[in-house]
Amino acid sequence: MRPTFHLKTLAVAVAAFSVASMANAAGLDRSGQDITAFLQDGLYAEASYTYIDADVSGYDNEANTAIDKNAYKQGNKVDDIAESYDFFRYGVKADINDTFSVGVLYDEPFGAAADYSGDNNFVDASGEGTNVEVRTESITGIIGAKLGENKNFQLYGGPVAQRVQADVKLRGEAYSIANGYTTHISADQDYGWLAGVAYSKPEIALQAALTYRSEIEHNTQASEIYPRVAGLPSSLGLSTNRSDTIEITTPKSVNFDFQTGINPTMLATAKVRWVPWSDFAITPSLYNENSKGLIGVPGVSGIPPEGLDLVSYDKDQWQVELGLAKRLTPALAVTGNVGWDSGAGDPTTSLGPIEGYYSVGLGAKYNVTPNWAVSAGGKYLWFGDAEGQIPSKTIVSNFEDNDGYIVGVKLSYQAKQNFN
C-alpha cells in the first residue's frame, strides 16, 4: 500500500520551483505565464523578482549573399548583444468558501532586449547599432470552482488584460537597403482570456493542471522611418516615413503543471509549455509595402509577393522542466531542476539569434514563520547555436557557444482558511 504524503508536510517545498523557472525561452517568451500561485491552498500571496543576464555573441557574414542568400563565411566579431533584463511577478489567491476561489496575477509574459555595437555589419557608419526593445505586462483575473464529492477537480478561468509596446532600429550593412529603418510601436492594452482544469489528491501531494491562454489582438500606432536608398530608381515610389495602425497578436499558449509526493519529505514536479510562435509576426505597413516595391530590383531577393514581416518565426516552441524538492527541516527545503526549450527555428531572426536552450537550476525555500516564506534560486542556461537571418531569409550572422544565467527571489504568504 502506498504511504500517505500529506500536503502539509511538504508545504515548504511546494512552489519553490517558480522563482527562476521558465524564462528566456523561444520567440519573445519570458515569464512562462505561470499560474501555480492560484493553485495553492487557502489564502496565498507572492511577489517575485527575476533577473536574467545572457551572453549572446557571434560573427557577422562576410559571404556574397547577393549570389547565395544561404552562404556564410565568418566575418567580424559581434560582441554580446543580449541586454540584461529583469521583471516582476505578483499573485494573490483566496477561497470564498470550500467550492469557489478567486485570484489576481501580474506578470510580464513577452519581451526582447538586444543591442548591437562594435565594428560589424549591424552597426552603421555613424556608429549607431541595431537595437530592439519589446515589453509586455499582463493582469489575469481568475475564478475557480471545485467539483466532485471530495472537491478533487477544479475548473477555472477569467479575463486577461495585456499591454504591449516596442521599438526597433535596423542599422548596418546586414540589413541592406533597410539600413536605417526605425519604428516605434505605441503602447496598447487589449484583452483575452484564460481557462483550465486541475486535479488534486492531497494525501499524496498530487496536483495536475492544464491551462489554456487565448491569443490577444492589439491594434495600435506604429511610427516608421524608412531610409532613402541611393541608386534605386525614383519610379519605385518608396515612402520614407509613416504613422499608421498595426495589428500585433500575441500568441496563445498551453501550460501543463504537475507535482506529486515521492515520499513524506520529497516532491517531484514537471512543467510543459507550448506556444505556436510560427503564427506570430510583427508587420509594420511601411516596411511591408516598401519591401513589395523592391520585388524584381537587381540585387534584391527573397521577397515574397505578400512582402516581408519585420519579425517572424518558423517553428512552434516546446518547453519542458523537471524538478525535485526535498524538505530538509520543518522550515527549509531545497530544489533542483533541469530544463529544455526547443527554440523557434534555425535560422532565426537576427534580433534574437539563439535556438532554445538546456538548463540546470537550484533553489531553496525557508519558512521564516508558519505563514511567511522567502525563496531564492538560480539557473544556468546553455543556448542552442543559431544562424541569424534578416526578413528576406538571407543569412547575416552566426552565433555559437553562448550561455546565460537567471536568479530570482520570492516572498510568499500562506494561511489556512476554514469555512465550517
Side-chain angles (χ1 to χ4, degrees):
M1 181 176 178
R2 187 174 182 179
T4 297
F5 311 146
H6 288 290
L7 187 59
K8 183 178 179 180
T9 68
L10 287 166
V12 176
V14 175
F17 290 91
S18 60
V19 177
S21 67
M22 293 291 192
N24 207 72
L28 303 177
D29 215 17
R30 277 197 172 173
S31 73
Q33 298 181 297
D34 184 73
I35 61 101
T36 53
F38 179 75
L39 302 176
Q40 302 304 309
D41 286 338
L43 176 65
Y44 180 81
E46 69 174 32
S48 63
Y49 169 80
T50 300
Y51 175 85
I52 300 177
D53 193 354
D55 181 0
V56 180
S57 57
Y59 294 87
D60 66 16
N61 191 358
E62 194 180 286
N64 188 345
T65 55
I67 298 174
D68 180 3
K69 67 178 183 179
N70 294 313
Y72 177 78
K73 180 180 178 182
Q74 182 173 302
N76 295 323
K77 175 71 173 178
V78 177
D79 292 326
D80 183 17
I81 69 167
E83 294 188 297
S84 60
Y85 65 87
D86 56 8
F87 60 86
F88 291 90
R89 187 168 62 230
Y90 309 102
V92 61
K93 171 261 178 184
D95 296 328
I96 299 174
N97 52 42
D98 62 358
T99 298
F100 293 101
S101 302
V102 294
V104 177
L105 308 176
Y106 167 88
D107 72 344
E108 300 177 31
F110 308 115
D115 189 25
Y116 283 84
S117 60
D119 181 16
N120 56 70
N121 291 341
F122 300 93
V123 179
D124 65 19
S126 70
E128 185 177 20
T130 296
N131 179 272
V132 59
E133 183 77 26
V134 179
R135 294 204 75 114
T136 63
E137 297 176 278
S138 180
I139 297 178
T140 303
I142 309 178
I143 183 168
K146 295 179 180 179
L147 308 173
E149 182 178 353
N150 297 315
K151 307 291 185 180
N152 294 111
F153 290 93
Q154 185 179 36
L155 299 178
Y156 55 89
V160 179
Q162 186 183 88
R163 185 176 183 268
V164 62
Q165 62 180 8
D167 288 278
V168 178
K169 296 179 181 179
L170 305 183
R171 301 292 185 268
E173 296 179 4
Y175 296 101
S176 184
I177 53 180
N179 175 12
Y181 174 81
T182 300
T183 183
H184 168 69
I185 298 175
S186 300
D188 176 74
Q189 180 172 300
D190 223 302
Y191 303 91
W193 53 274
L194 165 153
V197 59
Y199 173 79
S200 64
K201 194 172 183 180
E203 60 268 26
I204 59 171
L206 185 149
Q207 189 176 78
L210 186 67
T211 307
Y212 173 87
R213 285 181 179 267
S214 72
E215 61 184 24
I216 298 179
E217 182 179 306
H218 295 268
N219 287 281
T220 185
Q221 289 292 118
S223 300
E224 301 175 77
I225 300 173
Y226 201 95
R228 294 186 180 275
V229 183
L232 290 181
S234 59
S235 59
L236 289 176
L238 298 181
S239 300
T240 58
N241 59 77
R242 176 184 296 173
S243 181
D244 198 3
T245 58
I246 183 174
E247 179 183 304
I248 298 177
T249 302
T250 55
K252 59 189 174 184
S253 64
V254 177
N255 281 22
F256 176 69
D257 296 278
F258 176 83
Q259 68 176 47
T260 187
I262 299 176
N263 61 45
T265 62
M266 185 172 287
L267 192 74
T269 69
K271 291 175 176 285
V272 180
R273 177 169 168 82
W274 171 77
V275 185
W277 284 108
S278 60
D279 295 337
F280 175 83
I282 298 178
T283 314
S285 63
L286 178 60
Y287 184 89
N288 178 260
E289 289 181 14
N290 280 352
S291 70
K292 292 178 185 178
L294 296 168
I295 295 175
V297 173
V300 178
S301 62
I303 303 178
E306 65 273 15
L308 298 176
D309 302 314
L310 180 60
V311 177
S312 63
Y313 299 95
D314 294 331
K315 294 183 179 180
D316 297 344
Q317 168 200 3
W318 283 94
Q319 192 178 66
V320 179
E321 188 171 276
L322 305 175
L324 290 173
K326 173 69 175 178
R327 183 172 62 87
L328 300 180
T329 73
L332 176 66
V334 294
T335 67
N337 58 66
V338 294
W340 168 79
D341 186 286
S342 67
D346 179 26
T348 189
T349 172
S350 61
L351 302 178
I354 62 172
E355 188 189 16
Y357 63 76
Y358 289 93
S359 70
V360 60
L362 295 172
K365 180 180 180 182
Y366 182 75
N367 273 50
V368 182
T369 73
N371 300 116
W372 288 94
V374 176
S375 304
K379 180 185 290 184
Y380 183 80
L381 305 99
W382 295 268
F383 296 128
D385 300 342
E387 291 183 314
Q389 64 182 9
I390 58 176
S392 64
K393 307 298 184 182
T394 299
I395 302 299
V396 293
S397 61
N398 188 48
F399 287 75
E400 297 180 345
D401 302 323
N402 290 309
D403 57 8
Y405 68 88
I406 305 170
V407 292
V409 294
K410 178 167 65 178
L411 177 67
S412 60
Y413 174 87
Q414 189 166 21
K416 188 175 181 179
Q417 293 180 274
N418 295 310
F419 300 102
N420 296 329

